[in-house]
Amino acid sequence: SRPSDQQIQFPDRFEMNSSKEKFAFLILISVLVFNGGCGQEEASGPEPSTYSVRGTILQADGKPLSMGMVEFQPLGDTKANGLGTVKDGEFTLAMMLNGKKYSGVTAGQYRVIVIPRGTTVEQQGNPESIVLPEPVTIEAKSENALKLVLPEKK
């Protein structure tokens, strides 16, 4: 007997409806980036000049963000995102480029996205990403110390 011909149906679009799905997707992308990307490496070139970035993330009420992730997305010629984990309001950035992890990021302007993670089950299951309204500039200096304040919820 011949096996039946079965077709697998794929959706026309992939949608992420919940914040939990969005957070899981960001974690997956972060893991891929920090483990060498998606299988295609850029042509290797000279080592990038990276600059240390550490900072504090405060909520609108002035209290430190207890837990979360922060992503710095380049707005110019910079080639790699900066990623960091927030704990007790503190973070340090790192980046991956050509399969190599670097401490810090390259100089330039970045859009900053914060994904808060609360301490309650409700907060951990429903994080919302927050895009800071103004870009952040990382300067070509040994230490960039930042103080970021999340906007008030609307």
Side-chain angles (χ1 to χ4, degrees), residues 32-151:
L32 289 173
V33 167
F34 277 102
N35 285 321
C38 298
Q40 294 181 349
E41 289 190 21
E42 297 177 21
S44 61
E47 292 285 313
S49 296
T50 59
Y51 304 97
S52 175
V53 180
R54 64 176 179 76
T56 303
I57 298 180
L58 302 176
Q59 300 175 69
D61 63 6
K63 294 179 183 172
L65 180 65
S66 59
M67 297 169 56
M69 291 185 64
V70 62
E71 178 181 8
F72 279 51
Q73 295 178 339
L75 296 175
D77 293 334
T78 305
K79 297 181 184 191
N81 290 3
L83 298 169
T85 303
V86 181
K87 183 164 173 41
D88 299 325
E90 303 291 321
F91 71 92
T92 302
L93 291 184
M95 71 173 206
M96 287 291 294
L97 185 62
N98 298 328
K100 185 174 178 187
K101 183 177 178 180
Y102 294 90
S103 177
V105 296
T106 56
Q109 282 203 316
Y110 292 83
R111 172 183 312 132
V112 179
I113 300 171
V114 178
I115 300 176
R117 297 287 288 173
T119 54
T120 68
V121 173
E122 288 175 355
Q123 292 168 329
Q124 288 186 10
N126 194 23
E128 295 180 20
S129 60
I130 300 168
V131 179
L132 296 188
E134 298 294 324
V136 171
T137 300
I138 302 303
E139 297 177 20
K141 60 183 185 179
S142 62
E143 179 86 15
N144 287 269
L146 306 175
K147 181 177 177 183
L148 306 175
V149 180
L150 300 178

